[in-house]
Amino acid sequence: MADDDLDALDALEKEAAEFNKDAEIDRILKAFKLDAYAVLDLHPGVPESDIKVQYRKKSLLIHPDKTKNTQAPDAFDRLKKAQNELMDEKQRERLDEAISDARMLLIRERKWTVEHPELKTDAFAKDWREKTKFVLIESEHRRRKQLKAQLQEEGRQQKKEDEEIDQRKRKRDQEQAWEQTREQRIGSWRDFQKGGEKKKKKKEKPIG
């Protein structure tokens, strides 16, 4: 094969590789980011080993150092976050519960049994993904609402504690100021007493 042909083939392979990278970056950024499985392009319930393999494969493909795509850093961050969520037992459990709840909601809405043949169709799988989005969004709204209420309560508690601290400080300052002026008050009282005694002596009349 001629050198020109080899160069052309090499250029085509590089172009194809860049296209695959761009396509994967685009897929990640368009994936529903509350669903870590969707971001990693995995089916729910896969073993931990599959998560690690999939993350490694995709992170190498779209790594910002390996592509000129300006969106690669954002996609890489989302991929990393999704992997961390699925490797966290509690977060993955919450996600699995939301996905399971979405499936049961669809079954109840359609008055099916868990053995209904439509559950295995692509159409149901698509509806299941959409219902999962709805459940996850509702869950996120509740989480943010609870967090907001928690922060407000913590803010009220902090304000109350700050007011109590200020009140105790003012009381200490008043007590210290009172103590510091004690000698002055005692001295003033003694002077007052002495002045009173002098006046009494002046008013005394001579005997006889």
Side-chain angles (χ1 to χ4, degrees):
M1 186 178 290
D3 290 342
D4 289 345
D5 292 337
L6 289 172
D7 290 342
L9 182 60
D10 186 52
L12 285 172
E13 288 177 350
K14 287 181 178 179
E15 186 177 339
E18 284 301 317
F19 175 82
N20 290 336
K21 292 176 183 180
D22 291 343
E24 181 59 20
I25 288 169
D26 186 60
R27 186 201 67 76
I28 291 171
L29 294 176
K30 287 181 177 178
F32 186 55
K33 60 183 180 180
L34 292 179
D35 184 352
Y37 289 115
V39 175
L40 280 164
D41 198 19
L42 287 169
H43 290 294
V46 296
E48 190 175 290
S49 58
D50 286 6
I51 298 170
K52 293 179 179 178
V53 170
Q54 184 80 327
Y55 170 73
R56 178 170 175 75
K57 182 176 72 174
K58 292 188 177 297
S59 63
L60 287 173
L61 177 64
I62 67 159
H63 196 283
D65 292 342
K66 302 287 183 68
T67 176
K68 296 178 181 179
N69 192 311
T70 57
Q71 292 182 304
D74 289 339
F76 187 82
D77 288 345
R78 287 197 190 185
L79 197 70
K80 181 63 178 175
K81 183 180 179 183
Q83 189 248 8
N84 288 338
E85 288 178 3
L86 292 182
M87 296 302 290
D88 183 284
E89 187 177 346
K90 289 184 178 180
Q91 291 191 61
R92 186 177 182 186
E93 186 177 325
R94 284 197 295 268
L95 178 57
D96 288 343
E97 286 178 357
I99 293 171
S100 179
D101 288 347
R103 184 174 184 271
M104 292 308 299
L105 280 172
L106 282 175
I107 291 173
R108 284 199 294 268
E109 287 172 3
R110 298 175 185 187
K111 298 180 180 179
W112 292 351
T113 66
V114 293
E115 302 296 330
H116 199 285
E118 290 290 326
L119 294 173
K120 297 180 181 179
T121 63
D122 291 339
F124 179 78
K126 182 180 179 181
D127 292 342
W128 187 5
R129 284 193 296 271
E130 291 303 311
K131 181 62 77 171
T132 297
K133 290 181 184 179
F134 169 79
V135 172
L136 287 171
I137 289 170
E138 288 293 303
S139 177
E140 180 65 12
H141 282 165
R142 285 195 300 272
R143 187 190 70 80
R144 293 186 181 185
K145 188 175 180 180
Q146 289 171 354
L147 179 60
K148 183 179 179 181
Q150 181 183 343
L151 291 173
Q152 288 176 339
E153 180 60 27
E154 288 176 356
R156 283 193 290 268
Q157 284 294 114
Q158 187 63 50
K159 184 179 179 182
K160 183 179 179 182
E161 290 175 8
D162 291 344
E163 289 175 348
E164 289 175 353
I165 290 171
D166 288 342
Q167 187 175 2
R168 288 196 295 269
K169 185 177 182 299
R170 286 195 299 271
K171 186 177 180 181
R172 284 197 304 271
D173 291 344
Q174 289 172 355
E175 289 173 350
Q176 288 174 0
W178 178 262
E179 187 63 28
Q180 288 169 359
T181 58
R182 180 173 179 273
E183 290 300 324
Q184 182 181 346
R185 292 195 310 276
I186 292 173
S188 298
W189 175 251
R190 286 173 178 166
D191 291 343
F192 173 76
Q193 290 286 72
K194 288 177 181 178
E197 290 174 0
K198 288 179 181 179
K199 287 181 180 179
K200 286 180 180 178
K201 287 178 180 179
K202 287 180 180 179
K203 288 180 180 179
E204 288 178 0
K205 295 181 181 180
I207 298 174

